[in-house]
Amino acid sequence: MATIKDIARLAQVSTSTVSHVLNSTRFVSDSVKDRVLSAVKELNYAPSALARSLKTKNTRTFGMLVTTSTNPFFAEVVKGVEAHCYLNGYSLILCNTEGDADRIRFSLSTLLQKQVDGLLLMCSEAEAPAFSQLSSQPNLPTVVMDWGPTDFQCDKIQDNSRQGGYLATRYLIEQGHKDIGCVSGPLDKLPSQQRLAGFVDAMTEANLPLQPQWQISGNFECDGGAAAFESLMQAPTRPTAMFVSNDVMAMGFIHAAYYAGINIPEQLSVIGYDDIELARYLTPALTTIHQPKQQLGRTAVEVLLERLNNPGSSSKTIQLEPSLVIRDTVKSRL
């Protein structure tokens, strides 16, 4: 790989002159500049990102930890993050944690060694001890996406999950349903707790009974939705509608219902949460709660860039609002 010294030797100039030409830091005559640029082209010279980072004290790289990029919700958020990084001249290093504390610690250590300019964290299942390394990095810009309390300095971007759970359940009620159940996510996770709380809010507001046998905890994965359906079928009575608190579980739930001969929505209405891209292509298309995933990714990068430019400003929390998307999996009983 060619170096500045090689360029200087071929162009018969000093290394400092080559540097000034490449960085436009001092006037250089056109004839000398042409010789330098001709040598650059001939030797296929590419500037060293490592050398530049050592000189400028930044790598123009962000690191991101995500539960798993194979889940459509996370994949769509990552797409928004990567696109906005590219538009601003930054690279993104993505690490999947798979919910494992050891992988979180290893990935964090790797990103810190690579001297990333900022961190994006989207792994709400993680326990705080896995992030202990960040306590010693108070000046590293960090944005936490859709997570609970933290014991390190960071900005936060959150989905109003309680409002989303309320919107989903209220829509079922408005369609005439009174016997309504809920498949929550893991109840030790804040988004799951908030979506379930929104379900309870809407049911209580409408003076409708909460049936414990129709409230099932899932795992935010397809198999969790299928297992929730099987549990529901064991109950002595059945609801007419279910709020399933993410689209991936809703897919598994509907799949299991199909093989059990339960027609969605004629016999059982279903509403999901997230509005992943696949939701509109299910048969029937999934009624769901939209999370602004592209906006979430874009906003996270914007907050990191703002933090880099204003490192001393106070931490902020930004809340993104969900909205209802009506498709075909909810039948009106009015």
Side-chain angles (χ1 to χ4, degrees):
M1 181 179 293
T3 66
I4 283 184
K5 288 184 178 180
D6 298 324
I7 302 297
R9 189 179 302 112
L10 182 60
Q12 298 182 328
V13 297
S14 67
T15 55
S16 63
T17 298
V18 174
S19 178
H20 288 309
V21 170
L22 295 178
N23 297 297
S24 301
T25 50
R26 197 189 69 185
F27 173 78
V28 177
S29 68
D30 289 342
S31 60
V32 172
K33 185 183 297 183
D34 289 344
R35 293 210 313 271
V36 170
L37 295 179
S38 177
V40 167
K41 183 176 181 180
E42 182 175 339
L43 296 175
N44 292 317
Y45 171 75
S48 168
L50 176 60
R52 184 187 297 114
S53 68
L54 290 173
K55 183 176 181 180
T56 63
K57 305 300 181 183
N58 65 67
T59 60
R60 298 197 70 79
T61 301
F62 290 146
M64 183 174 187
L65 266 63
V66 64
T67 299
T68 170
S69 62
T70 59
N71 183 306
F73 169 75
F74 292 110
E76 290 175 34
V77 174
V78 169
K79 180 179 178 181
V81 169
E82 195 280 331
H84 212 60
C85 283
Y86 172 75
L87 288 175
N88 286 277
Y90 277 77
S91 299
L92 181 69
I93 301 176
L94 178 65
C95 300
N96 292 330
T97 70
E98 302 298 340
D100 182 81
D102 288 335
R103 286 187 65 168
I104 291 171
R105 282 188 284 266
F106 176 81
S107 297
L108 268 180
S109 179
T110 299
L111 292 174
L112 294 176
Q113 289 175 32
K114 290 183 178 297
Q115 298 184 327
V116 294
D117 296 337
L119 282 175
L120 296 154
L121 305 179
M122 196 172 191
C123 33
S124 60
E125 79 296 327
E127 297 180 357
F131 290 87
S132 58
Q133 300 172 76
L134 293 181
S135 299
S136 61
Q137 303 285 333
N139 297 320
L140 179 65
T142 301
V143 175
V144 169
M145 306 158 76
D146 201 14
W147 195 2
T150 55
D151 58 0
F152 52 85
Q153 183 77 9
C154 65
D155 297 300
K156 295 182 182 180
I157 304 173
Q158 298 176 334
D159 163 50
N160 190 347
S161 286
R162 186 163 189 157
Q163 176 67 8
Y166 173 82
L167 289 176
T169 310
R170 188 182 69 180
Y171 177 68
L172 295 175
I173 294 168
E174 289 173 345
Q175 296 307 302
H177 293 275
K178 297 180 179 179
D179 299 323
I180 305 171
C182 176
V183 181
S184 71
L187 290 178
D188 59 337
K189 314 307 178 194
L190 186 63
S192 301
Q193 297 166 12
Q194 292 179 334
R195 291 172 197 181
L196 179 58
F199 165 78
V200 172
D201 289 344
M203 294 290 284
T204 302
E205 180 183 86
N207 295 313
L208 295 176
L210 295 165
Q211 303 289 354
Q213 69 269 27
W214 299 342
Q215 293 181 41
I216 306 165
S217 177
N219 63 356
F220 280 151
E221 300 294 339
C222 284
D223 61 351
F229 176 82
E230 298 300 332
S231 294
L232 185 66
M233 292 299 101
Q234 303 306 311
T237 58
R238 296 178 185 175
T240 63
M242 291 291 290
F243 164 44
V244 184
S245 57
N246 85 332
D247 287 351
V248 173
M249 283 198 301
M251 291 167 60
F253 187 95
I254 292 171
H255 179 80
Y258 173 80
Y259 281 99
I262 301 297
N263 185 283
I264 307 293
E266 292 298 324
Q267 294 172 274
L268 182 61
S269 291
V270 176
I271 186 169
Y273 198 110
D274 284 339
D275 191 27
I276 61 175
E277 184 69 18
L278 291 173
R280 71 184 64 189
Y281 298 109
L282 295 178
T283 304
L286 182 64
T287 296
T288 186
I289 298 298
H290 174 76
Q291 282 208 73
K293 296 170 289 298
Q294 293 287 324
Q295 182 185 353
L296 175 58
R298 181 176 66 252
T299 302
V301 175
E302 289 174 349
V303 170
L304 270 188
L305 294 171
E306 182 180 340
R307 177 65 56 190
L308 284 170
N309 293 327
N310 301 283
S313 59
S314 300
S315 298
K316 65 174 66 176
T317 297
I318 298 172
Q319 184 164 269
L320 303 180
E321 296 299 328
S323 58
L324 175 67
V325 178
I326 299 171
R327 295 194 180 103
D328 305 324
T329 53
V330 174
K331 175 181 173 63
S332 173
R333 296 177 67 86
L334 296 173

